[in-house]
Amino acid sequence: MSDFSRYEKMMSSLAGAMVPPTPASESSGSEGSEKEGVEVFGVSVGGVAANVILRPESFEIERLQEGLKWLAKAGEVSARQGYSARFEDGPGFTRRSYHGLVVDLFWQALMTVWENLKQAEQDELLVLATTAAKGFVWAGKYAIEKAIPNGSGEKRTDENGTSFRGPGIDEIVLGAMCLNWIRGEDAQAVYGEMYVGKKVGDVVDILVSRLVDGLGDDGEFRKFDAEGGTSGGGDLLDAWWYRELVCVHGVVNLAIRQKREDWWEAGSKVMGHHLMNTQPDHTTAQPWGVHGFAASMATRIFADQQIHDCEANWRLGPGMGGPLGSHIEGGDSDTSGSVAGLVLANAVGTMREIPGSKIGWSD
């Protein structure tokens, strides 16, 4: 068995254990809830899509429809506020990266079963998935119009005097990843006159090329800044590690899907930096970028440690790597899924795209 098959099988098996089949009695959609005036969504909706990727034979269109309706609403919230919607995991933690992860999972799921859908079903689901992806329209504005932040987003104040943080670089990378699914959309209709005759794919290509052109001197995606940064304060090492790995994950997905050797090379440089300078179990139990690290003999040891840490933390119980909350509500601990399991499922889905891409794997 090749290393590719071995890793795909190992990661698929672990993801399947972490994101078990959804009981028929469980809902697959929700209107979300509010906390302190902010609309909050449950990241465990991603379990619906992950199950399609991991168990396509048990696919149920009603669950995919309901989940996409819910994500379309989250997309409207994101587009309106100019940064990712708030997604929480079971223990109540929230990270901006969750939104992009879940949307990408649903697009992967949709493509997995696309040929088995009737035309009317394809049309309905495509409209919902497109609305969900358009929630990241703000990310495309960093292609030309806005300066890309080096780390977490800059602090801002709205018209009511409420402070909030703009999108960080990891959000922008995942935003580009989600916009990439709607490459054929008319960019002028989305972004205005500066993109006459262009497609959203052109915007994505400009944005991602800008993102990977700004690597740090030592190969990091962006240099660690302990003194300042766009957030207005010194960076935290664990937060920087997390952003870096999320960026690797997004760039790997984009490079494989668009067959971009230059994007893959940039991601490889970042992975090389973290192989030499970062200890995986000091970062996160969520295996962001694991399929990128696993793709090369040079960095595979990092992926091995990520997979080990992911499973070890999951088996210890609820937490950032452990079981999430109820399938949609996200508030009570159960075994309906985990963020780490969703990251693995997303990585597995992308690995299955590699043979057609011819980019991203060397045994």
Side-chain angles (χ1 to χ4, degrees):
M1 180 183 291
S2 69
D3 280 338
F4 177 89
S5 297
R6 182 170 66 87
Y7 273 92
E8 192 275 335
K9 183 177 180 179
M10 177 170 55
M11 291 163 60
S12 180
S13 176
L14 179 55
M18 299 176 80
V19 187
T22 305
S25 60
E26 281 197 21
S27 168
S28 61
S30 170
E31 292 301 315
S33 60
E34 282 198 8
K35 291 186 179 180
E36 300 177 351
V38 177
E39 193 145 21
V40 178
F41 302 90
V43 72
S44 51
V45 66
V48 172
N51 267 292
V52 175
I53 296 167
L54 300 169
R55 306 176 182 91
E57 70 284 351
S58 59
F59 161 66
E60 296 180 27
I61 189 171
E62 294 78 13
R63 296 184 184 280
L64 198 58
Q65 286 171 326
E66 194 174 353
L68 279 171
K69 287 178 182 177
W70 185 74
L71 279 183
K73 181 177 180 180
E76 291 169 353
V77 171
S78 177
R80 183 171 63 248
Q81 66 189 17
Y83 52 90
S84 300
R86 180 173 174 177
F87 278 71
E88 284 190 354
D89 57 26
F93 295 105
T94 180
R95 289 187 185 270
R96 296 275 188 89
S97 55
Y98 291 171
H99 187 188
L101 169 65
V102 173
V103 170
D104 199 62
L105 274 166
F106 268 85
W107 271 96
Q108 287 180 307
L110 182 57
M111 294 300 101
T112 298
V113 298
W114 184 257
E115 298 299 327
N116 297 324
L117 300 175
K118 299 176 182 178
Q119 183 65 53
E121 293 170 337
Q122 290 179 344
D123 293 344
E124 178 188 0
L125 296 180
L126 187 60
V127 168
L128 293 171
T130 297
T131 301
K134 283 185 176 178
F136 297 92
V137 62
W138 46 265
K141 295 181 179 179
Y142 289 87
I144 294 177
E145 300 172 54
K146 295 185 176 183
I148 297 173
N150 287 326
S152 59
E154 63 182 355
K155 292 182 179 179
R156 303 176 182 173
T157 303
D158 65 19
E159 56 188 16
N160 299 317
T162 302
S163 296
F164 68 98
R165 181 170 57 81
I169 192 166
D170 51 336
E171 281 182 80
I172 296 170
V173 171
L174 296 193
M177 178 181 72
C178 293
L179 287 174
N180 194 60
W181 288 107
I182 56 170
R183 292 182 63 85
E185 293 285 311
D186 179 17
Q188 182 180 356
V190 178
Y191 293 106
E193 295 299 322
M194 73 171 62
Y195 289 107
V196 174
K198 301 292 185 181
K199 301 293 185 181
V200 169
D202 297 315
V203 180
V204 171
D205 292 347
I206 294 169
L207 172 57
V208 179
S209 293
R210 282 194 70 198
L211 286 163
V212 301
D213 283 346
L215 300 188
D217 295 337
D218 196 37
E220 62 270 66
F221 202 81
R222 291 297 185 271
K223 185 177 179 180
F224 175 69
D225 186 356
E227 302 297 328
T230 54
S231 61
D235 214 346
L236 298 176
L237 193 57
D238 57 348
W240 176 71
W241 278 329
Y242 189 91
R243 282 198 310 271
E244 290 277 300
L245 295 182
V246 170
C247 288
V248 166
H249 194 97
V251 169
V252 166
N253 283 359
L254 283 158
I256 290 170
R257 290 167 188 167
Q258 295 313 120
K259 304 177 178 63
R260 290 291 298 258
E261 294 279 3
D262 53 337
W263 297 353
W264 179 262
E265 182 180 352
S268 297
K269 289 180 180 177
V270 181
M271 288 184 274
H273 171 87
H274 289 287
L275 173 69
M276 300 302 297
N277 295 280
T278 301
Q279 189 169 331
D281 59 358
H282 285 181
T283 57
T284 172
Q286 299 168 9
W288 293 97
V290 62
H291 50 325
F293 286 103
S296 170
M297 285 292 293
T299 55
R300 204 160 285 168
I301 190 172
F302 196 98
D304 292 339
Q305 186 67 49
Q306 283 184 298
I307 294 169
H308 169 77
D309 296 336
C310 170
E311 182 172 10
N313 278 272
W314 169 62
R315 294 192 183 283
L316 286 173
M320 291 302 287
L324 290 179
S326 62
H327 196 59
I328 295 300
E329 300 299 335
D332 304 313
S333 290
D334 63 18
T335 56
S336 62
S338 74
V339 176
L342 300 184
V343 173
L344 275 176
N346 187 245
V348 168
T350 304
M351 288 177 73
R352 291 173 181 170
E353 301 173 38
I354 288 175
S357 174
K358 305 300 183 185
I359 287 183
W361 193 269
S362 58
D363 278 339

